[in-house]
Amino acid sequence: MTAVTVITGGSRGIGAATARRLAAAGHHLAIGYHRDDAAAAAVVADIHRLGRRAVAVPADTTDPTQIDRLFTAAADLGPLTALVNNAGVTSPIGPFTALRPDDLRRVVDVNLIGYVLCAQQAAHRLTRGGAIVNISSAAATLGSPGEYIHYAAVKAATDTLTIGLAKELAPRGIRVNAVAPGIIRTDIHTDSGVPDRADTAAGRIPLGRAGEPDEVAGAVAWLLGPDATYTTGAVLRVAGGL
Ligand code: NAP
């Protein structure tokens, strides 16, 4: 069966690394992204160089119409075999009392509602052997006090989504897992107002350093690969011991 995977937020960071890794493993890819056309085009070019098919689709995952467009574009590559729910945002790091309602709503909208809507599209389209990987966060169990408790709470919801959906889709032979990264070197920390967080946080990570996007991509590729056929409902922590 040809692997055709939708990955949201595939233009940069963990999503881009995962798209490249999956292409190397034989997947054709539909890359969803928000605004960065150039970054998405660069990922597509790399996938083409690896001999796979790819399409980049600007698709805000909070908008059901745009999500539908992403999955319709993926269908042109062949029947869907996997979804990587990855598009996510943070908001400015700070105490809980300083959290602004708009930031809270955006984090819930993109990181939870977006994941649910994309998973629903995938659940309609996937057949036996299909799989979903949700990118969660180690924050889900750490709680992120003084940083972004609301983000951590939403990532915990991602884990619950993973567990419930794994059970609901198992009778159809569809697996659902999550990867929970720790602090990974991407642009997301700029959005939270601490661009050098990967370096400043190193001292509190047991392995003594932040992770790289490729190190998360490897976990996603394993969960979507032939060695994980009995793995479902798992949350695989890739967090350097955090
Ligand atoms: P990133 O480098 O900031 O990249 C975010 C990606 O998501 C970009 O491709 C962006 O598209 C896309 N995106 C953002 N909002 C979107 C929306 N509304 N609709 C569609 N696409 C959207 O982030 P990252 O660090 O790779 O994070 C990826 C995932 O890993 C997120 O779910 C995040 O919560 C999770 N995570 C990250 C870390 C970490 O330390 N980096 C740790 C734990 C979990 P554009 O390029 O068009 O802007």
Side-chain angles (χ1 to χ4, degrees):
M1 181 163 64
T2 308
V4 174
T5 298
V6 166
I7 178 159
T8 65
S11 53
R12 294 185 291 112
I14 292 168
T18 301
R20 292 183 175 103
R21 182 67 168 253
L22 292 175
H27 295 234
H28 303 302
L29 286 136
I31 308 286
Y33 67 102
H34 192 208
R35 293 202 179 97
D36 197 335
D37 302 317
V43 174
V44 166
D46 285 346
I47 295 169
H48 286 159
R49 269 192 286 278
L50 289 164
R52 310 293 170 220
R53 300 179 68 200
V55 60
V57 183
D60 184 335
T61 53
T62 65
D63 178 347
T65 306
Q66 295 184 43
I67 294 171
D68 190 58
R69 204 168 59 215
L70 172 60
F71 280 83
T72 301
D76 289 340
L77 302 176
L80 187 72
T81 58
L83 162 68
V84 182
N85 245 337
N86 165 79
V89 294
T90 53
S91 57
I93 277 185
F96 187 64
T97 47
L99 174 61
R100 295 175 301 206
D102 283 352
D103 287 335
L104 169 62
R105 288 202 175 90
R106 187 70 189 156
V107 164
V108 173
D109 235 16
V110 178
N111 298 2
L112 180 57
I113 295 176
Y115 273 38
V116 170
L117 293 175
C118 289
Q120 200 176 30
Q121 277 274 353
H124 280 303
R125 294 167 189 260
L126 289 171
T127 54
R128 186 161 292 277
I132 296 173
V133 174
N134 295 318
I135 304 300
S136 175
S137 172
T141 57
L142 298 172
S144 302
E147 295 192 323
Y148 27 55
I149 291 171
H150 59 299
Y151 170 87
V154 165
K155 289 300 188 180
T158 301
D159 293 352
T160 307
L161 172 71
T162 301
I163 291 163
L165 206 50
K167 289 175 178 167
E168 185 162 327
L169 298 185
R172 289 173 48 201
I174 297 165
R175 299 178 303 105
V176 185
N177 293 289
V179 170
I183 297 170
I184 308 299
R185 192 179 302 282
T186 72
D187 296 340
I188 204 167
H189 308 296
T190 303
D191 301 340
S192 59
V194 189
D196 58 352
R197 188 160 182 258
D199 295 315
T200 55
R204 62 183 159 100
I205 301 169
L207 279 183
R209 63 170 179 87
E212 299 297 329
D214 275 340
E215 296 178 288
V216 181
V220 179
W222 181 78
L223 285 168
L224 293 182
D227 288 335
T229 47
Y230 199 58
T231 304
T232 197
V235 179
L236 177 52
R237 203 171 183 88
V238 182
L242 266 181

